[in-house]
């Protein structure tokens, strides 16, 4: 079992769409960034890549690369899912929190879950999304930006089927006949 943590933050700006969790949210401001600046998906991607020890989104999708200018973070999340598959990782669960004074995100959370679960091919009981404020404190509290944290657990297919060649007689279950 491998654990990963992701964190992301983006500044709120005029003349930008607010997209969080792959869902466009009606609000007067949006998040500023090279891509669509989806703070939640960025945190989730970083937690997944971190758990797999495969770097971060900056390594895989650098903001200096014009291919990623304005790209949907859902498309990037699909690429992260492919990277995990290529490296034989299975997502156990993801728990994420969005920190924003405004707008209220509760009406959008179920749609966010649907988008993320569909993109990662996981079930809804493997993903939890929460939203909170910081009671007017800090850059999220004064509505300068929005932040997100994500924690995930991954399993490696390789680890699930690992047999230690030095073990001659497995006695862990009491009835195993696995002998080398």
């Amino acid at each position: 079992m491998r654990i990963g943590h992701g964190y992301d933050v983006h500044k709120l700006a005029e003349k930008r769409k607010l997209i969080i969790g792959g869902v466009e949210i009606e609000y007067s401001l949006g998040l500023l960034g090279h891509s669509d600046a989806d703070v939640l998906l960025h945190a989730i991607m970083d937690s997944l890549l971190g758990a797999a020890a495969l770097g971060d989104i900056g390594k895989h999708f650098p903001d200096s690369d014009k291919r990623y200018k304005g790209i949907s973070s859902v498309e990037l999340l699909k690429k992260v899912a492919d990277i995990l598959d290529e490296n034989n990782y299975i997502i156990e669960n993801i728990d994420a929190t969005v920190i924003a004074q405004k707008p209220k995100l509760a009406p959008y959370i179920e749609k966010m879950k649907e988008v993320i679960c569909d993109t990662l091919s996981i079930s809804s009981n493997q993903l939890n999304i929460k939203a909170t404020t910081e009671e007017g404190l800090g850059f999220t509290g004064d509505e300068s930006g929005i932040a997100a944290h994500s924690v995930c657990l991954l399993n490696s297919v390789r680890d699930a089927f690992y047999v230690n060649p030095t073990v001659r007689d497995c006695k862990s279950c009491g009835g195993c006949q696995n002998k080398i």
Side-chain angles (χ1 to χ4, degrees):
M1 181 91 44
R2 300 172 70 102
I3 188 168
H5 176 261
Y7 172 76
D8 196 40
V9 59
H10 285 278
K11 182 178 180 176
L12 283 162
E14 293 181 353
K15 299 180 183 176
R16 293 279 299 192
K17 291 181 180 180
L18 180 58
I19 300 173
I20 300 177
V23 176
E24 187 171 338
I25 296 170
E26 300 218 15
Y27 193 58
S28 60
L29 301 171
L31 292 171
L32 188 60
H34 185 70
S35 66
D36 63 4
D38 188 327
V39 68
L40 175 58
L41 293 189
H42 292 184
I44 289 173
M45 287 186 279
D46 270 346
S47 70
L48 293 168
L49 290 167
L54 294 170
D56 60 16
I57 60 173
K59 174 183 174 182
H60 293 275
F61 318 112
D63 63 7
S64 58
D65 190 329
K66 293 179 183 176
R67 292 179 297 168
Y68 305 120
K69 178 74 174 158
I71 193 170
S72 165
S73 293
V74 173
E75 292 302 313
L76 299 178
L77 185 60
K78 286 178 189 174
K79 292 176 187 281
V80 169
D82 290 342
I83 292 167
L84 293 176
D85 284 344
E86 290 166 11
N87 287 275
N88 300 308
Y89 286 105
I90 299 167
I91 299 169
E92 290 294 330
N93 77 305
I94 300 168
D95 185 29
T97 305
V98 180
I99 306 158
Q101 195 65 36
K102 289 183 184 172
K104 295 296 182 190
L105 299 177
Y108 302 95
I109 288 178
E110 285 307 311
K111 182 63 178 169
M112 291 177 195
K113 285 185 70 170
E114 183 180 310
V115 168
I116 296 165
C117 288
D118 287 348
T119 303
L120 294 173
S121 298
I122 61 175
S123 64
S124 62
N125 69 351
Q126 291 175 277
L127 174 64
N128 189 52
I129 300 172
K130 305 174 292 293
T132 190
T133 70
E134 289 191 307
E135 304 296 329
L137 300 173
F139 70 90
T140 63
D142 72 11
E143 300 174 45
S144 297
I146 295 177
H149 287 270
S150 173
V151 177
C152 74
L153 290 176
L154 298 182
N155 264 320
S156 169
V157 174
R158 290 182 302 248
D159 291 344
F161 297 106
Y162 175 75
V163 176
N164 186 340
T166 63
V167 175
R168 297 286 179 221
D169 188 6
C170 174
K171 298 192 185 334
S172 63
C173 68
C176 183
Q177 299 301 311
N178 291 335
K179 294 183 181 176
I180 298 176

